[in-house]
């Protein structure tokens, strides 16, 4: 039997952090986590202090997306824990592994409506893989193993957030310490391996298809299966489309990359899907923003669906072959069994789609083209930046005009669409990869949701670049009001925005501004040359520019609205 010792619960937490390789977390203190912060005083584990708990959750999320590790955030009981909820839901929707540690009131006060008490485990049941309230004696005795389970659950299978709620008397009191038993943890879950019969059938189906398309999603990132995607594609000459979460999992400059389909995807990606006779879907979930009207989505295509979460198979679109397995071994098995294919007429047709339906935009009569700004950002950075985004038009322009060549260089809130995500996510990304250039492409509305995290970036000397595409509107809502509500603009005018340059300077950051096209490239270059300070760039873009292509909500590819073409000169 393993030797036990009694140690404070807070010390047990920090020991488990060490076991799990956690050298940094994002946390905001308060009364119920003071014992943890007291133990942290003598620890070499780093706490990055945000200015709002939502920032902590998003930073842990961004850290996880770029490193592949489990991100960790912490907050006190009641309002602190509740402020994590949006960030936890964001991670849940995008399958991002984070562990949220929350303080709770003393065990004898739980359920009495005591000061700063909230039922955070009840609140987060729908948005966590699992959560724990360490309250009963047998749970207190198991605290180290419960914490280990939390990390294991967060990163295993389909990744996602796990929450552990620890009363202050548990973190201050003593708990038994036992050594880690990884075999016991591994016994929790059967390995996710593909069925040989299904792989054989899928290989045969790929071989017979005349117009196959591979649709990849965030599951490729989680599995680390980008190399397998590339190998299978090179062998079988499959046009590749990616979801918003799958951006960078296949080089976007590759001739077989068709970009992102769906509501705001490229027209040629949508046409490729709509004309396909086979969809090989890997690590994606047929989100409504991809499919539009499901009854008219890829009507002639048979489906091979590979997903680590068996619940996703047949949930939205019935698959002829459903393979509940991790993407990496499943694609590896397909590579072994699938016969090579020549490019053929279908690949040529895909290139014709690109030629006939390219991305494009008109030059605005007033202001700077936001699409052009993102193109120039790509050129100035050499396409090498880690990109985070806020949510809205800025997000879609970043997705279209900043192509990526590899995974884990893209952080965006896909499923939940959380405004305010990009700035704190950039903080987490920069902490996780300090030697990389991190750029948040923002809108003037979304950036203000978590603007106070400028202090976090400045105090921690994080050289993040924030590029604000400032149109003085809540741009995506205004676009819908423009297109579907007779330009009845209501609640979207952001007149009265702060002077972002002076605001940045007030926080101790560098503030820069571009008001004309001629100023854009020099200002972007100047921002990138600031190598030791957070830099915010305010760029005045056309106020009523819309995102195209667009498929109106609930409609189909048949109603796709094309990009206006860029004017010569």
């Amino acid at each position: 039997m393993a030797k036990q010792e009694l140690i404070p619960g807070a010390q047990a937490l920090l020991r488990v952090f060490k076991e799990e390789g956690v050298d940094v977390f994002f946390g905001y203190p308060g009364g119920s986590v003071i014992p943890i912060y007291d133990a942290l005083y003598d620890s070499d584990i780093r706490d990055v202090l945000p200015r709002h708990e939502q920032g902590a959750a998003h930073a842990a999320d961004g850290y996880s997306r770029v490193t592949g590790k489990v991100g960790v955030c912490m907050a006190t009981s009641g309002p602190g824990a509740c402020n994590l909820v949006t960030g936890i839901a964001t991670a849940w929707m995008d399958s991002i592994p984070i562990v949220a540690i929350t303080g709770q009131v003393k065990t004898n006060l739980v359920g009495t409506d005591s000061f700063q008490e909230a039922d955070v485990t009840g609140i987060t049941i729908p948005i966590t893989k699992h959560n724990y309230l360490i309250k009963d004696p047998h749970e207190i005795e198991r605290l180290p193993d419960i914490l280990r389970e939390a990390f294991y659950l967060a990163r295993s299978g389909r990744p996602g957030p796990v929450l552990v709620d620890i009363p202050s008397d548990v973190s201050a009191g003593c708990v038994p310490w036992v050594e880690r038993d990884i075999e016991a943890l591994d016994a929790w879950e059967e390995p996710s391996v593909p069925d040989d019969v299904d792989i054989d059938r899928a290989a045969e189906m790929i071989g017979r298809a005349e117009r196959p398309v591979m649709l990849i999603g965030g599951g490729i990132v989680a599995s680390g299966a980008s190399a397998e995607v590339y190998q299978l594609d090179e062998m079988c000459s499959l046009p590749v489309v990616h979801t918003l979460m799958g951006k960078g999992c296949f080089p976007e400059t590759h001739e077989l990359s068709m970009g992102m389909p769906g509501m705001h995807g490229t027209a040629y990606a949508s046409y490729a899907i709509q004309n396909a006779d086979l969809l090989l879907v890997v690590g994606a979930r047929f989100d409504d923003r991809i499919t539009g009207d499901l009854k008219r989505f890829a009507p002639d295509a048979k489906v091979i669906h590979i997903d680590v979460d068996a619940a996703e198979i047949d949930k939205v679109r019935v698959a002829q072959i459903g393979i509940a397995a991790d993407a990496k071994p499943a694609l590896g098995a397909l590579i072994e069994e699938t016969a090579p294919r020549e490019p053929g007429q279908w690949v040529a047709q895909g290139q014709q789609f690109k030629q006939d339906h390219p991305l494009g935009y008109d030059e605005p009569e007033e202001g700077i083209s936001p699409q052009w700004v993102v193109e120039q950002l790509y050129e100035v950075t050499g396409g090498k930046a880690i990109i985070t985004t806020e949510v809205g038009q800025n997000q879609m322009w970043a997705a279209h005009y900043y192509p990526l060549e590899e995974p884990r260089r893209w952080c965006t809130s896909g499923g939940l669409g959380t405004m305010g995500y990009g700035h704190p996510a950039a903080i987490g990304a920069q902490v996780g990869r300090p030697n990389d250039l991190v750029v948040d492409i923002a809108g003037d509305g979304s950036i203000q949701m978590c603007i106070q995290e400028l202090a976090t970036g400045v105090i921690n000397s994080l050289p993040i670049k924030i590029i604000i595409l400032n149109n003085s509107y809540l741009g995506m809502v205004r676009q819908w009001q423009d297109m579907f509500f007779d330009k009845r603009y209501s609640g979207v005018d952001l007149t009265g925005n702060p002077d972002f340059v002076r605001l940045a300077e007030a926080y101790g950051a560098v503030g820069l501004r571009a008001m004309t096209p001629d100023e854009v490239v020099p200002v972007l270059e100047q921002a990138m040359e600031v190598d030791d300070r957070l830099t915010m760039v305010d760029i005045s873009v056309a106020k009523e520019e819309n995102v195209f292509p667009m498929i109106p909500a609930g409609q189909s590819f048949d109603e796709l609205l094309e990009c206006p073409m860029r004017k010569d000169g």
Side-chain angles (χ1 to χ4, degrees):
M1 183 175 179
K3 181 182 178 181
Q4 292 188 2
E5 60 177 315
L6 292 177
I7 63 173
Q11 292 286 356
L13 171 66
L14 297 183
R15 282 195 188 183
V16 173
F17 278 5
K18 284 288 190 180
E19 287 179 347
E20 297 293 336
V22 176
D23 55 8
V24 62
F25 70 94
F26 306 87
Y28 202 99
S32 292
V33 291
I34 286 178
I36 297 172
Y37 274 81
D38 184 65
L40 188 66
Y41 189 86
D42 298 317
S43 171
D44 61 354
I45 296 174
R46 177 186 178 191
D47 172 35
V48 175
L49 176 68
R51 292 307 185 264
H52 190 285
E53 290 91 350
Q54 182 176 339
H58 291 326
D61 175 304
Y63 175 91
S64 178
R65 293 194 200 217
V66 303
T67 65
K69 300 177 182 178
V70 177
V72 180
C73 57
M74 187 181 300
T76 194
S77 63
C82 289
N83 282 342
L84 292 177
V85 168
T86 299
I88 293 171
T90 300
W92 168 255
M93 289 291 283
D94 291 345
S95 301
I96 305 302
I98 67 172
V99 168
I101 305 295
T102 53
Q104 186 53 274
V105 299
K106 291 181 179 180
T107 53
N108 67 309
L109 296 177
V110 172
T112 67
D113 295 330
S114 61
F115 177 67
Q116 289 197 331
E117 180 187 1
D119 180 11
V120 69
T121 50
I123 290 168
T124 59
I125 283 173
I127 55 169
T128 53
K129 286 186 72 176
H130 193 62
N131 61 32
Y132 303 84
L133 169 58
I134 313 299
K135 177 177 178 289
D136 297 328
H138 72 280
E139 294 166 334
I140 296 171
E141 290 182 359
R142 291 192 61 244
L143 177 61
D145 276 343
I146 286 174
L147 291 164
R148 291 163 180 148
E149 289 169 9
F151 279 90
Y152 185 83
L153 286 171
R155 66 174 176 261
S156 63
R158 179 177 182 169
V162 178
L163 182 140
V164 184
D165 198 27
I166 307 176
S168 60
D169 56 324
V170 175
S171 56
C174 288
V175 301
W177 174 261
V178 294
E179 297 301 320
R180 187 171 190 246
D181 185 352
I182 190 63
E183 291 183 2
L185 287 174
D186 285 341
W188 273 37
E189 187 172 345
E190 293 294 324
S192 176
V193 295
D195 181 85
D196 290 342
V197 173
D198 287 337
I199 290 294
D200 289 343
R201 292 174 57 215
E204 291 175 7
M205 190 177 289
I206 293 170
R208 293 195 304 267
E210 295 181 358
R211 302 182 306 280
V213 170
M214 180 157 46
L215 168 60
I216 59 175
I220 301 298
V221 182
S223 179
S226 293
E228 284 77 10
V229 169
Y230 191 88
Q231 186 176 350
L232 181 63
D233 185 79
E234 288 285 287
M235 187 174 73
C236 295
S237 300
L238 304 173
V240 178
V241 299
H242 63 259
T243 68
L244 188 65
M245 292 293 97
K247 184 175 171 69
C249 289
F250 184 76
E252 291 187 75
T253 55
H254 194 289
E255 70 169 355
L256 289 174
S257 174
M258 304 295 287
M260 180 180 72
M263 176 176 282
H264 285 301
T266 63
Y268 44 84
S270 295
Y271 287 128
I273 284 182
Q274 205 65 353
N275 286 276
D277 66 354
L278 174 66
L279 293 181
L280 171 59
V281 182
V282 191
R285 58 185 178 89
F286 290 106
D287 177 78
D288 64 287
R289 285 298 191 262
I290 294 291
T291 66
D293 181 358
L294 193 61
K295 293 179 181 178
R296 292 186 283 168
F297 174 74
D300 299 324
K302 295 180 178 179
V303 173
I304 301 167
H305 194 177
I306 300 172
D307 201 289
V308 73
D309 186 354
E312 291 296 339
I313 308 294
D314 296 335
K315 185 177 82 173
V316 176
R317 172 71 177 255
V318 174
Q320 278 65 43
I321 300 175
I323 301 174
D326 186 82
K328 191 176 184 72
L331 288 173
L334 266 182
I335 290 166
E336 291 293 324
E337 300 300 326
T338 305
R341 293 169 50 99
E342 293 298 322
Q345 180 58 37
W346 176 234
V347 169
Q349 178 63 66
Q351 300 309 304
Q352 192 64 48
F353 286 146
K354 284 186 176 182
Q355 183 175 329
D356 293 344
H357 306 281
L359 282 172
Y361 51 91
D362 273 337
E363 298 292 351
E365 294 181 3
E366 295 183 7
I368 304 167
S369 164
Q371 301 97 320
W372 179 78
V373 171
V374 179
E375 288 179 328
Q376 299 314 301
L377 176 66
Y378 178 83
E379 294 298 326
V380 168
T381 61
K384 301 300 183 183
I386 291 172
I387 298 295
T388 73
T389 81
E390 303 298 331
V391 164
Q393 291 181 315
N394 61 87
Q395 179 185 33
M396 296 297 100
W397 288 322
H400 280 317
Y401 295 100
Y402 199 104
L404 295 173
E405 301 300 296
E406 59 187 62
R408 299 206 179 278
R409 304 190 76 87
W410 175 249
C411 300
T412 197
S413 174
L416 198 63
T418 306
M419 290 181 69
Y421 169 83
H423 181 188
I427 288 172
Q430 192 74 81
V431 169
R433 291 171 63 170
N435 297 322
D436 283 272
L437 172 63
V438 178
V439 179
D440 175 27
I441 298 176
D444 52 309
S446 191
I447 191 64
Q448 294 185 73
M449 292 283 184
C450 289
I451 195 70
Q452 67 279 351
E453 300 309 332
L454 283 171
T456 310
V458 168
I459 289 170
N460 288 276
S461 301
L462 302 176
I464 298 160
K465 316 302 176 189
I466 300 173
I467 312 300
I468 301 176
L469 305 177
N470 188 345
N471 59 12
S472 298
Y473 275 117
L474 294 176
M476 190 60 84
V477 181
R478 183 211 55 77
Q479 176 170 337
W480 282 51
Q481 291 175 342
D482 175 0
M483 299 177 69
F484 309 119
F485 292 87
D486 298 324
K487 291 184 180 288
R488 291 164 57 88
Y489 294 167
S490 177
V492 294
D493 188 343
L494 293 182
T495 299
N497 273 337
D499 183 326
F500 289 110
V501 171
R502 294 175 65 186
L503 182 62
E505 292 171 348
Y507 275 99
V510 176
L512 301 172
R513 193 185 334 266
M515 299 293 291
T516 67
D518 290 344
E519 295 172 335
V520 169
V521 172
V523 164
L524 289 176
E525 290 175 341
Q526 184 180 352
M528 301 311 148
E529 290 169 0
V530 180
D531 58 7
D532 60 348
R533 296 173 66 192
L534 190 151
T535 304
M536 177 180 281
V537 182
D538 182 16
I539 301 180
S540 180
V541 300
K543 294 189 67 171
E544 297 190 46
E545 185 73 7
N546 288 337
V547 176
F548 288 104
M550 183 176 184
I551 299 172
Q555 297 189 25
S556 136
F557 296 110
D558 299 333
E559 287 83 32
L560 186 146
L561 304 173
E562 293 261 15
C563 306
M565 294 304 296
R566 185 173 182 175
K567 296 176 181 176
D568 293 337

PDB file of all heavy atoms in Angstrom, residues 12 41 56 61 72 81 84 90 93 128 146-147 217 274 289 355 375 383 422 428 473 517 546:
ATOM      1  N   ALA A  12      -1.471  20.056  -1.513  1.00  0.00           N
ATOM      2  CA  ALA A  12      -1.794  18.928  -2.398  1.00  0.00           C
ATOM      3  C   ALA A  12      -2.121  19.423  -3.801  1.00  0.00           C
ATOM      4  O   ALA A  12      -1.700  18.827  -4.800  1.00  0.00           O
ATOM      5  CB  ALA A  12      -2.968  18.138  -1.820  1.00  0.00           C
ATOM      6  N   TYR A  41       2.719  31.353  -2.308  1.00  0.00           N
ATOM      7  CA  TYR A  41       3.767  32.315  -1.959  1.00  0.00           C
ATOM      8  C   TYR A  41       5.141  31.658  -1.911  1.00  0.00           C
ATOM      9  O   TYR A  41       6.147  32.274  -2.263  1.00  0.00           O
ATOM     10  CB  TYR A  41       3.430  32.942  -0.598  1.00  0.00           C
ATOM     11  CG  TYR A  41       4.307  34.101  -0.197  1.00  0.00           C
ATOM     12  CD1 TYR A  41       4.012  35.399  -0.603  1.00  0.00           C
ATOM     13  CD2 TYR A  41       5.440  33.901   0.585  1.00  0.00           C
ATOM     14  CE1 TYR A  41       4.809  36.465  -0.233  1.00  0.00           C
ATOM     15  CE2 TYR A  41       6.253  34.965   0.954  1.00  0.00           C
ATOM     16  CZ  TYR A  41       5.934  36.247   0.542  1.00  0.00           C
ATOM     17  OH  TYR A  41       6.738  37.298   0.904  1.00  0.00           O
ATOM     18  N   ALA A  56      -9.151  35.329 -17.109  1.00  0.00           N
ATOM     19  CA  ALA A  56      -8.390  34.156 -16.675  1.00  0.00           C
ATOM     20  C   ALA A  56      -8.797  32.919 -17.460  1.00  0.00           C
ATOM     21  O   ALA A  56      -7.951  32.126 -17.907  1.00  0.00           O
ATOM     22  CB  ALA A  56      -8.587  33.916 -15.173  1.00  0.00           C
ATOM     23  N   ASP A  61      -7.578  29.125 -21.913  1.00  0.00           N
ATOM     24  CA  ASP A  61      -8.017  28.553 -23.188  1.00  0.00           C
ATOM     25  C   ASP A  61      -6.990  28.829 -24.285  1.00  0.00           C
ATOM     26  O   ASP A  61      -6.556  27.913 -25.016  1.00  0.00           O
ATOM     27  CB  ASP A  61      -9.374  29.169 -23.525  1.00  0.00           C
ATOM     28  CG  ASP A  61      -9.931  28.780 -24.876  1.00  0.00           C
ATOM     29  OD1 ASP A  61      -9.242  28.984 -25.888  1.00  0.00           O
ATOM     30  OD2 ASP A  61     -11.084  28.310 -24.936  1.00  0.00           O
ATOM     31  N   VAL A  72      -4.991  26.157 -17.109  1.00  0.00           N
ATOM     32  CA  VAL A  72      -5.536  26.194 -15.754  1.00  0.00           C
ATOM     33  C   VAL A  72      -5.924  27.625 -15.398  1.00  0.00           C
ATOM     34  O   VAL A  72      -5.148  28.566 -15.627  1.00  0.00           O
ATOM     35  CB  VAL A  72      -4.523  25.660 -14.720  1.00  0.00           C
ATOM     36  CG1 VAL A  72      -5.115  25.704 -13.316  1.00  0.00           C
ATOM     37  CG2 VAL A  72      -4.106  24.227 -15.070  1.00  0.00           C
ATOM     38  N   ALA A  81     -16.206  32.785  -9.214  1.00  0.00           N
ATOM     39  CA  ALA A  81     -16.473  31.551  -9.953  1.00  0.00           C
ATOM     40  C   ALA A  81     -17.454  31.803 -11.090  1.00  0.00           C
ATOM     41  O   ALA A  81     -17.288  31.289 -12.204  1.00  0.00           O
ATOM     42  CB  ALA A  81     -17.017  30.491  -8.992  1.00  0.00           C
ATOM     43  N   LEU A  84     -16.085  33.076 -14.334  1.00  0.00           N
ATOM     44  CA  LEU A  84     -15.387  32.127 -15.197  1.00  0.00           C
ATOM     45  C   LEU A  84     -16.316  31.466 -16.212  1.00  0.00           C
ATOM     46  O   LEU A  84     -15.849  30.855 -17.182  1.00  0.00           O
ATOM     47  CB  LEU A  84     -14.741  31.010 -14.361  1.00  0.00           C
ATOM     48  CG  LEU A  84     -13.580  31.346 -13.447  1.00  0.00           C
ATOM     49  CD1 LEU A  84     -13.158  30.098 -12.672  1.00  0.00           C
ATOM     50  CD2 LEU A  84     -12.392  31.880 -14.237  1.00  0.00           C
ATOM     51  N   THR A  90     -17.010  28.746 -23.453  1.00  0.00           N
ATOM     52  CA  THR A  90     -16.252  28.903 -24.697  1.00  0.00           C
ATOM     53  C   THR A  90     -15.375  27.691 -24.944  1.00  0.00           C
ATOM     54  O   THR A  90     -15.336  27.136 -26.057  1.00  0.00           O
ATOM     55  CB  THR A  90     -15.397  30.183 -24.630  1.00  0.00           C
ATOM     56  OG1 THR A  90     -16.243  31.313 -24.447  1.00  0.00           O
ATOM     57  CG2 THR A  90     -14.576  30.370 -25.901  1.00  0.00           C
ATOM     58  N   MET A  93     -17.555  24.549 -25.889  1.00  0.00           N
ATOM     59  CA  MET A  93     -18.065  24.510 -27.256  1.00  0.00           C
ATOM     60  C   MET A  93     -16.977  24.175 -28.263  1.00  0.00           C
ATOM     61  O   MET A  93     -17.252  23.557 -29.301  1.00  0.00           O
ATOM     62  CB  MET A  93     -18.700  25.853 -27.605  1.00  0.00           C
ATOM     63  CG  MET A  93     -20.008  26.119 -26.888  1.00  0.00           C
ATOM     64  SD  MET A  93     -21.357  25.057 -27.432  1.00  0.00           S
ATOM     65  CE  MET A  93     -21.793  25.820 -28.990  1.00  0.00           C
ATOM     66  N   THR A 128     -19.301  21.538 -18.747  1.00  0.00           N
ATOM     67  CA  THR A 128     -18.055  20.872 -18.365  1.00  0.00           C
ATOM     68  C   THR A 128     -18.162  19.391 -18.678  1.00  0.00           C
ATOM     69  O   THR A 128     -19.261  18.830 -18.698  1.00  0.00           O
ATOM     70  CB  THR A 128     -17.746  21.036 -16.860  1.00  0.00           C
ATOM     71  OG1 THR A 128     -18.887  20.605 -16.100  1.00  0.00           O
ATOM     72  CG2 THR A 128     -17.409  22.467 -16.505  1.00  0.00           C
ATOM     73  N   ILE A 146      -8.691  13.198  -7.091  1.00  0.00           N
ATOM     74  CA  ILE A 146      -9.728  13.924  -7.826  1.00  0.00           C
ATOM     75  C   ILE A 146      -9.108  14.983  -8.726  1.00  0.00           C
ATOM     76  O   ILE A 146      -9.520  15.160  -9.887  1.00  0.00           O
ATOM     77  CB  ILE A 146     -10.742  14.548  -6.842  1.00  0.00           C
ATOM     78  CG1 ILE A 146     -11.645  13.450  -6.269  1.00  0.00           C
ATOM     79  CG2 ILE A 146     -11.575  15.627  -7.520  1.00  0.00           C
ATOM     80  CD1 ILE A 146     -12.591  13.930  -5.189  1.00  0.00           C
ATOM     81  N   LEU A 147      -8.102  15.680  -8.229  1.00  0.00           N
ATOM     82  CA  LEU A 147      -7.414  16.673  -9.051  1.00  0.00           C
ATOM     83  C   LEU A 147      -6.734  16.013 -10.242  1.00  0.00           C
ATOM     84  O   LEU A 147      -6.761  16.537 -11.367  1.00  0.00           O
ATOM     85  CB  LEU A 147      -6.392  17.430  -8.204  1.00  0.00           C
ATOM     86  CG  LEU A 147      -6.986  18.363  -7.145  1.00  0.00           C
ATOM     87  CD1 LEU A 147      -5.922  18.760  -6.122  1.00  0.00           C
ATOM     88  CD2 LEU A 147      -7.591  19.605  -7.788  1.00  0.00           C
ATOM     89  N   GLY A 217     -11.803  19.359 -38.995  1.00  0.00           N
ATOM     90  CA  GLY A 217     -12.179  20.306 -37.960  1.00  0.00           C
ATOM     91  C   GLY A 217     -11.193  20.325 -36.809  1.00  0.00           C
ATOM     92  O   GLY A 217     -10.062  19.824 -36.912  1.00  0.00           O
ATOM     93  N   GLN A 274     -20.850  21.094 -52.143  1.00  0.00           N
ATOM     94  CA  GLN A 274     -22.176  20.905 -52.708  1.00  0.00           C
ATOM     95  C   GLN A 274     -22.158  19.988 -53.926  1.00  0.00           C
ATOM     96  O   GLN A 274     -23.176  19.354 -54.239  1.00  0.00           O
ATOM     97  CB  GLN A 274     -22.773  22.270 -53.076  1.00  0.00           C
ATOM     98  CG  GLN A 274     -24.280  22.310 -53.103  1.00  0.00           C
ATOM     99  CD  GLN A 274     -24.920  22.076 -51.748  1.00  0.00           C
ATOM    100  OE1 GLN A 274     -24.255  21.761 -50.773  1.00  0.00           O
ATOM    101  NE2 GLN A 274     -26.232  22.191 -51.687  1.00  0.00           N
ATOM    102  N   ARG A 289     -23.424  26.482 -38.928  1.00  0.00           N
ATOM    103  CA  ARG A 289     -22.776  27.518 -39.723  1.00  0.00           C
ATOM    104  C   ARG A 289     -22.080  26.920 -40.953  1.00  0.00           C
ATOM    105  O   ARG A 289     -21.773  27.632 -41.896  1.00  0.00           O
ATOM    106  CB  ARG A 289     -21.756  28.284 -38.872  1.00  0.00           C
ATOM    107  CG  ARG A 289     -22.386  29.269 -37.878  1.00  0.00           C
ATOM    108  CD  ARG A 289     -23.160  30.344 -38.635  1.00  0.00           C
ATOM    109  NE  ARG A 289     -23.569  31.449 -37.783  1.00  0.00           N
ATOM    110  CZ  ARG A 289     -24.768  31.607 -37.230  1.00  0.00           C
ATOM    111  NH1 ARG A 289     -25.684  30.673 -37.413  1.00  0.00           N
ATOM    112  NH2 ARG A 289     -25.069  32.667 -36.513  1.00  0.00           N
ATOM    113  N   GLN A 355     -10.977  29.746 -59.445  1.00  0.00           N
ATOM    114  CA  GLN A 355     -10.792  30.785 -60.471  1.00  0.00           C
ATOM    115  C   GLN A 355     -12.088  31.545 -60.723  1.00  0.00           C
ATOM    116  O   GLN A 355     -12.084  32.772 -60.893  1.00  0.00           O
ATOM    117  CB  GLN A 355     -10.295  30.147 -61.763  1.00  0.00           C
ATOM    118  CG  GLN A 355     -10.012  31.144 -62.875  1.00  0.00           C
ATOM    119  CD  GLN A 355      -9.411  30.465 -64.109  1.00  0.00           C
ATOM    120  OE1 GLN A 355      -8.699  29.471 -64.006  1.00  0.00           O
ATOM    121  NE2 GLN A 355      -9.709  31.010 -65.279  1.00  0.00           N
ATOM    122  N   GLU A 375      -4.635  41.555 -45.114  1.00  0.00           N
ATOM    123  CA  GLU A 375      -3.657  41.130 -46.117  1.00  0.00           C
ATOM    124  C   GLU A 375      -2.291  41.764 -45.860  1.00  0.00           C
ATOM    125  O   GLU A 375      -1.249  41.081 -45.956  1.00  0.00           O
ATOM    126  CB  GLU A 375      -4.141  41.508 -47.515  1.00  0.00           C
ATOM    127  CG  GLU A 375      -5.310  40.676 -48.025  1.00  0.00           C
ATOM    128  CD  GLU A 375      -5.753  41.109 -49.409  1.00  0.00           C
ATOM    129  OE1 GLU A 375      -5.647  42.312 -49.743  1.00  0.00           O
ATOM    130  OE2 GLU A 375      -6.230  40.239 -50.166  1.00  0.00           O
ATOM    131  N   GLY A 383       3.317  35.898 -42.465  1.00  0.00           N
ATOM    132  CA  GLY A 383       2.395  34.791 -42.220  1.00  0.00           C
ATOM    133  C   GLY A 383       2.799  33.916 -41.053  1.00  0.00           C
ATOM    134  O   GLY A 383       2.283  32.807 -40.904  1.00  0.00           O
ATOM    135  N   GLY A 422     -10.530  37.341 -27.781  1.00  0.00           N
ATOM    136  CA  GLY A 422      -9.222  37.378 -28.427  1.00  0.00           C
ATOM    137  C   GLY A 422      -8.115  37.987 -27.607  1.00  0.00           C
ATOM    138  O   GLY A 422      -6.977  37.500 -27.625  1.00  0.00           O
ATOM    139  N   GLY A 428      -2.773  34.421 -22.929  1.00  0.00           N
ATOM    140  CA  GLY A 428      -2.453  33.021 -22.677  1.00  0.00           C
ATOM    141  C   GLY A 428      -1.531  32.440 -23.723  1.00  0.00           C
ATOM    142  O   GLY A 428      -0.604  31.679 -23.406  1.00  0.00           O
ATOM    143  N   TYR A 473     -18.839  50.556 -35.251  1.00  0.00           N
ATOM    144  CA  TYR A 473     -20.092  49.815 -35.205  1.00  0.00           C
ATOM    145  C   TYR A 473     -19.857  48.448 -34.562  1.00  0.00           C
ATOM    146  O   TYR A 473     -18.731  47.932 -34.545  1.00  0.00           O
ATOM    147  CB  TYR A 473     -20.637  49.556 -36.616  1.00  0.00           C
ATOM    148  CG  TYR A 473     -21.468  50.666 -37.218  1.00  0.00           C
ATOM    149  CD1 TYR A 473     -21.041  51.328 -38.363  1.00  0.00           C
ATOM    150  CD2 TYR A 473     -22.697  51.006 -36.673  1.00  0.00           C
ATOM    151  CE1 TYR A 473     -21.814  52.322 -38.952  1.00  0.00           C
ATOM    152  CE2 TYR A 473     -23.482  52.010 -37.256  1.00  0.00           C
ATOM    153  CZ  TYR A 473     -23.031  52.657 -38.385  1.00  0.00           C
ATOM    154  OH  TYR A 473     -23.799  53.629 -38.962  1.00  0.00           O
ATOM    155  N   PRO A 517      -4.908  54.839 -45.937  1.00  0.00           N
ATOM    156  CA  PRO A 517      -4.226  53.643 -46.442  1.00  0.00           C
ATOM    157  C   PRO A 517      -2.707  53.767 -46.449  1.00  0.00           C
ATOM    158  O   PRO A 517      -2.007  52.790 -46.150  1.00  0.00           O
ATOM    159  CB  PRO A 517      -4.786  53.491 -47.856  1.00  0.00           C
ATOM    160  CG  PRO A 517      -6.146  54.110 -47.788  1.00  0.00           C
ATOM    161  CD  PRO A 517      -5.993  55.271 -46.848  1.00  0.00           C
ATOM    162  N   ASN A 546     -19.128  44.990 -45.465  1.00  0.00           N
ATOM    163  CA  ASN A 546     -19.758  43.727 -45.091  1.00  0.00           C
ATOM    164  C   ASN A 546     -18.838  42.546 -45.387  1.00  0.00           C
ATOM    165  O   ASN A 546     -17.947  42.633 -46.234  1.00  0.00           O
ATOM    166  CB  ASN A 546     -21.085  43.541 -45.833  1.00  0.00           C
ATOM    167  CG  ASN A 546     -22.173  44.472 -45.325  1.00  0.00           C
ATOM    168  OD1 ASN A 546     -22.104  44.953 -44.179  1.00  0.00           O
ATOM    169  ND2 ASN A 546     -23.165  44.748 -46.144  1.00  0.00           N
TER     170      ASN A 546
END
